[in-house]
């Protein structure tokens, strides 16, 4: 029996749900004077106010990245009534939190959802965090005092092996990964809120401190503290609110079996290919149509893989594609001479927000609120968020 193919006509949520606002605390590598909850509250309050709403207008909560349940946020924010709430597990990326809210709104369980995500450095992620007694206590309580052991393929360590496989299978060099790192850094230098803004050259990249060969410190996203919050509601309601609505045109998630880090069939068969196939069926906004493109760069390998799987080039040719679209004077890639990749600096430089930063940036750009790094006349965005194993997702957004 052949696998069931999605019918285009069954995707009924297209353009029915929208982002009404987004707010952020901004992110930091050194902040030690704030709790995770306080940052989450600040971002949520700002998102509600930015949309021109009050706490009484919120009837749904969907969040990740904090140990506090919806009841704590409801009480702290003064939200009088909720008809729906969720706290989906953070399986590597934040996108599922948005997807849960979309489905609840489309089903009529609620109308206006406050979505949030917070990042909080734990002792195993940075020296500064390890010196903070409060964070050490959080690490002890959550069982996250130490990183995974070097011998395992579990979690992020798995990408080390697949990065090696990529270089071997396609006969490529680390310089291909370096182009992703330099592109993110060059975009971050335009973003006053990014945490990594010093210039980065290819020579710097190659000499960077090796973490797990072949991935160096410049191949991996940087741990940060901070929070993002979003107001998600019906497209109709969003049009009546304070800011320009950003419609969610299409979304997708994908996962293959087996999906364990050391059991994937290969670079040719993981969640990204499923996501691309679904988006090709559901969305009118393709990678060659969007004004903004966000290939997730939690690791440089992931961004290269998204570029290749999106159809921009063949497998193993991501580095060549970047070189063909490279703006030498700006030290970054510009698709079709104008479309930036990860305009905010991505996870590598804006900070490890598990994808909330990519979504935040796309909304700010489409609402014309990106400040010093605003992309002129941006009306659509394509986001490929996540990795290989169990967290491949996508969003296509556009202005109303």
């Amino acid at each position: 029996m052949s696998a069931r193919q999605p019918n285009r006509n069954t995707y009924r949520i297209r353009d029915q749900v929208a982002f009404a606002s987004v707010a952020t605390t901004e992110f930091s590598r050194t902040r030690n004077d704030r709790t995770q909850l306080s940052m989450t509250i600040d971002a949520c309050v700002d998102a509600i106010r930015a949309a021109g709403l009050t706490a009484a207008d919120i009837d749904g909560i969907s969040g990740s990245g904090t140990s506090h349940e919806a009841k704590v946020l409801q009480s702290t924010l003064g939200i009088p009534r909720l008809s729906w709430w969720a706290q989906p597990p953070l399986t590597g990326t934040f996108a599922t939190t948005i997807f849960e809210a979309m489905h609840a709104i489309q089903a009529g369980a609620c109308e206006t959802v406050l979505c949030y995500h917070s990042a909080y450095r734990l002792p195993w992620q940075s020296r500064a965090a390890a010196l903070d007694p409060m964070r050490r206590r959080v690490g002890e309580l959550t069982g996250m005092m130490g990183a995974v052991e070097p011998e395992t393929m579990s979690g992020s360590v798995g990408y080390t092996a697949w990065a090696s496989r990529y270089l071997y299978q396609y006969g490529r060099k680390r310089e291909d990964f370096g182009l992703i790192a330099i592109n993110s850094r060059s975009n971050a230098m335009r973003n006053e809120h990014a945490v990594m803004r010093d210039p980065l050259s290819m020579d710097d990249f190659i000499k960077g401190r090796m973490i797990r060969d072949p991935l160096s410190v410049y191949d991996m996203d940087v741990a940060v503290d901070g929070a993002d919050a979003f107001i998600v509601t019906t497209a109709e309601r969003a049009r009546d609110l304070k800011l320009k609505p950003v419609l969610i045109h299409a979304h997708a998630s994908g996962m293959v079996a087996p999906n364990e880090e050391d059991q994937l069939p290969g670079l040719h068969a993981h969640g990204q290919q499923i996501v691309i196939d679904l988006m090709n069926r559901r969305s009118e906004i393709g990678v060659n149509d969007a004004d903004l493109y966000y290939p997730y760069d939690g690791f440089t390998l992931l961004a290269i893989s998204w570029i290749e799987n999106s159809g921009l080039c063949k497998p193993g040719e991501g580095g060549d594609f970047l070189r063909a679209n490279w703006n030498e004077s700006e030290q970054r890639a510009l698709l079709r001479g104008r479309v930036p990749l990860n305009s905010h600096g991505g996870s590598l430089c804006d900070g490890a927000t598990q994808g909330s930063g990519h979504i935040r940036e796309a909304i700010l750009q489409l609402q014309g609120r990106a400040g010093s790094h605003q992309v002129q006349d941006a009306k659509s965005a394509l986001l490929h968020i996540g990795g290989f194993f169990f967290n491949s997702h996508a969003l296509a957004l556009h202005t109303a």
Side-chain angles (χ1 to χ4, degrees):
M1 182 181 294
S2 62
R4 180 180 180 273
Q5 297 298 315
N7 186 326
R8 188 180 184 88
N9 294 327
T10 66
Y11 188 70
R12 302 186 183 95
I13 201 170
R14 185 187 298 111
D15 295 332
Q16 299 301 302
V17 179
F19 289 103
S21 72
V22 60
T24 182
T25 61
E26 301 174 8
F27 287 77
S28 170
R29 299 176 65 203
T30 58
R31 180 183 292 142
N32 281 331
D33 60 344
R34 299 288 302 278
T35 66
Q36 191 173 13
L37 177 60
S38 72
M39 292 184 290
T40 301
I41 294 297
D42 281 355
C44 290
V45 168
D46 289 345
I48 294 170
R49 289 175 175 171
L53 298 173
T54 68
D57 296 308
I58 305 299
D59 59 357
I61 291 179
S62 180
S64 63
T66 177
S67 60
H68 301 284
E69 299 176 358
K71 64 181 182 181
V72 177
L73 283 179
Q74 180 185 12
S75 298
T76 307
L77 293 169
I79 298 172
R81 295 169 58 89
L82 288 178
S83 60
W84 177 86
W85 60 94
Q87 194 167 10
L90 184 65
T91 55
T93 64
F94 163 73
T96 51
T97 302
I98 298 295
F99 296 172
E100 291 283 354
M102 292 172 58
H103 299 157
I105 292 168
Q106 183 70 359
C110 53
E111 183 181 48
T112 305
V113 179
L114 172 65
C115 296
Y116 66 87
H117 175 67
S118 58
Y120 195 64
R121 292 168 300 127
L122 289 173
W124 61 272
Q125 291 176 307
S126 77
R127 284 189 291 267
L131 295 173
D132 181 356
M134 181 63 71
R135 291 172 198 263
R136 289 188 63 83
R137 182 57 177 157
V138 171
E140 292 167 359
L141 292 173
T142 60
M144 297 184 68
M145 275 298 293
V148 292
E149 299 193 10
E151 292 77 12
T152 184
M153 278 280 286
S154 176
S156 59
V157 181
Y159 290 116
T160 300
W162 286 107
S164 295
R165 178 69 188 183
Y166 178 91
L167 297 180
Y168 170 80
Q169 181 170 325
Y170 298 118
R172 306 305 299 188
K173 302 293 185 182
R174 288 188 59 235
E175 283 81 353
D176 289 2
F177 297 160
L179 293 172
I180 293 294
I182 294 168
N183 174 80
S184 289
R185 186 65 62 90
S186 297
N187 284 328
M189 291 170 65
R190 294 168 168 78
N191 176 9
E192 61 194 69
H193 303 304
V195 299
M196 303 291 285
R197 302 186 66 214
D198 292 335
L200 181 68
S201 68
M202 186 61 76
D203 188 55
D204 295 329
F205 174 82
I206 294 300
K207 293 179 180 178
R209 176 167 55 89
M210 192 61 65
I211 304 299
R212 293 187 178 96
D213 190 28
L215 300 180
S216 78
V217 66
Y218 297 122
D219 287 290
M220 304 177 177
D221 56 15
V222 56
V224 290
D225 292 342
D228 289 320
F230 309 78
I231 298 298
V232 183
T233 186
T234 64
E236 181 180 7
R237 178 157 172 72
R239 291 186 179 97
D240 294 331
L241 298 180
K242 187 176 180 180
L243 298 172
K244 181 190 298 183
V246 174
L247 300 184
I248 301 176
H249 178 66
H251 76 303
S253 296
M255 184 166 63
V256 301
N259 57 63
E260 290 80 10
E261 291 84 342
D262 60 341
Q263 298 297 315
L264 285 181
L267 290 167
H268 66 287
H270 49 74
Q272 290 185 4
Q273 290 89 1
I274 296 176
V275 166
I276 297 297
D277 178 64
L278 288 171
M279 291 297 283
N280 286 341
R281 297 169 183 272
R282 294 173 177 176
S283 176
E284 302 293 338
I285 300 171
V287 72
N288 288 310
D289 307 308
D291 299 317
L292 302 160
Y293 181 40
Y294 298 91
Y296 185 71
D297 60 339
F299 292 89
T300 53
L301 166 68
L302 299 183
I304 286 274
S305 182
W306 278 117
I307 288 169
E308 294 174 358
N309 284 316
S310 72
L312 287 170
C313 59
K314 295 179 180 179
E317 296 181 358
D320 295 335
F321 176 82
L322 289 169
R323 291 181 182 91
N325 289 269
W326 198 254
N327 185 305
E328 191 65 32
S329 64
E330 298 183 12
Q331 284 295 290
R332 61 175 181 160
L334 292 172
L335 308 189
R336 304 187 299 279
R338 67 178 186 85
V339 178
L341 280 67
N342 293 323
S343 55
H344 59 318
S347 294
L348 293 173
C349 299
D350 181 65
T353 61
Q354 294 77 49
S356 73
H358 293 72
I359 300 172
R360 174 231 308 150
E361 170 71 6
I363 296 168
L364 290 175
Q365 289 283 354
L366 294 177
Q367 289 183 331
R369 299 197 295 138
S372 59
H373 63 292
Q374 177 69 48
V375 176
Q376 187 175 2
D377 299 325
K379 294 181 174 61
S380 62
L382 181 63
L383 300 93
H384 289 149
I385 299 174
F388 293 174
F389 314 130
F390 40 76
N391 56 4
S392 300
H393 309 286
L395 277 167
L397 309 177
H398 68 101
T399 54

